[in-house]
Amino acid sequence: AQSVTQPDIHITVSEGASLELRCNYSYGATPYLFWYVQSPGQGLQLLLKYFSGDTLVQGIKGFEAEFKRSQSSFNLRKPSVHWSDAAEYFCAVGGSGGSNYKLTFGKGTLLTVNP
Amino acid sequence: SAVISQKPSRDICQRGTSLTIQCQVDSQVTMMFWYRQQPGQSLTLIATANQGSEATYESGFVIDKFPISRPNLTFSTLTVSNMSPEDSSIYLCSGSRRRQETQYFGPGTRLLVL
């Protein structure tokens, strides 16, 4: 069965500092990987996705993520965090192809940004 | 990306009652899904809404509790039946062009059951 682990429940960074949010997945074949962001009181917004090809993917709002098959990881990074980045971040894996395809989410990482 | 809307955006309901949530997607979407996000938790897939036929439910979710309709390609409803406080959650609708493509989410419906 596929699964996603986000080891950090809550991360606090200062504005302007760099950010890395960790995501590890379990899936037997090449997964489809996603990062979503949920701002307070909002739905989920897609930040970026990996299906195949270049393992470093660029997303919106200056975020990027790197797929590392050997480590089963898909960590999200941003070089300089803005106060507006404070939100909850969810990593998700899609797998079990064909009619059984489903998206499995991690438990999320809450990001707090200090001024 | 797809445009997905939901209503109501939030509601407070009494136990024992039912609430129907509506989801409207744009024409790019062919697949529609319903998720539940319990307080402080991640998202859990409730079911896939199938056009013109019964929804496909995930383990732990049953049609009697969460009846779903999808009368046409761009519209679906989820009913939360005979509610209890444990049903207090955010319910999200999502859509994708195909099952294995990117899912886009609606803004969610925040439900509080007293």
Side-chain angles (χ1 to χ4, degrees), chain A residues 45-103:
Chain A
Q45 181 182 22
L46 178 70
L47 283 176
L48 47 77
K49 61 188 177 185
Y50 172 80
F51 283 2
S52 64
D54 193 347
T55 57
L56 183 63
V57 294
Q58 303 296 321
I60 62 171
K61 304 184 180 186
F63 285 93
E64 67 178 24
E66 186 170 12
F67 170 57
K68 293 186 177 180
R69 183 190 302 275
S70 62
Q71 298 177 21
S72 297
S73 69
F74 188 57
N75 294 346
L76 182 71
R77 300 192 295 249
K78 186 170 184 179
S80 178
V81 170
H82 188 262
W83 65 266
S84 61
D85 294 324
E88 186 143 29
Y89 292 79
F90 292 95
C91 180
V93 61
S96 298
S99 61
N100 292 324
Y101 177 87
K102 61 183 290 186
L103 210 55

Side-chain angles (χ1 to χ4, degrees), chain A residues 32 36 38 41-43 46 49 51 90 97-99 101-103 105-107, chain B residues 35 37 41-43 45 58 90 92 99-107 110:
Chain A
Y32 295 170
Y36 289 88
Q38 186 177 36
Q42 303 295 315
L46 178 70
K49 61 188 177 185
F51 283 2
F90 292 95
S99 61
Y101 177 87
K102 61 183 290 186
L103 210 55
F105 286 82
K107 292 185 181 295
Chain B
Y35 288 83
Q37 185 179 20
Q41 302 296 313
S42 186
L43 282 77
L45 180 64
E58 296 297 308
I90 301 173
L92 296 110
R99 179 172 284 276
Q100 289 174 295
E101 289 200 6
T102 302
Q103 289 184 30
Y104 296 94
F105 286 80
R110 284 150 183 79

Side-chain angles (χ1 to χ4, degrees), chain A residues 38 41, chain B residues 6-22 34-40 46 65-66 78-92 107-114:
Chain A
Q38 186 177 36
Chain B
Q6 277 183 244
K7 59 181 180 182
S9 59
R10 61 180 66 240
D11 209 339
I12 301 174
C13 300
Q14 297 298 317
R15 69 172 67 210
T17 63
S18 299
L19 176 71
T20 296
I21 303 167
Q22 299 179 11
W34 286 99
Y35 288 83
R36 180 176 72 182
Q37 185 179 20
Q38 294 177 299
I46 297 172
K65 177 66 176 177
F66 297 102
L78 166 74
T79 299
V80 186
S81 302
N82 188 25
M83 288 184 285
S84 67
E86 291 70 36
D87 295 318
S88 298
S89 296
I90 301 173
Y91 292 87
L92 296 110
T109 296
R110 284 150 183 79
L111 172 62
L112 176 63
V113 183
L114 302 177

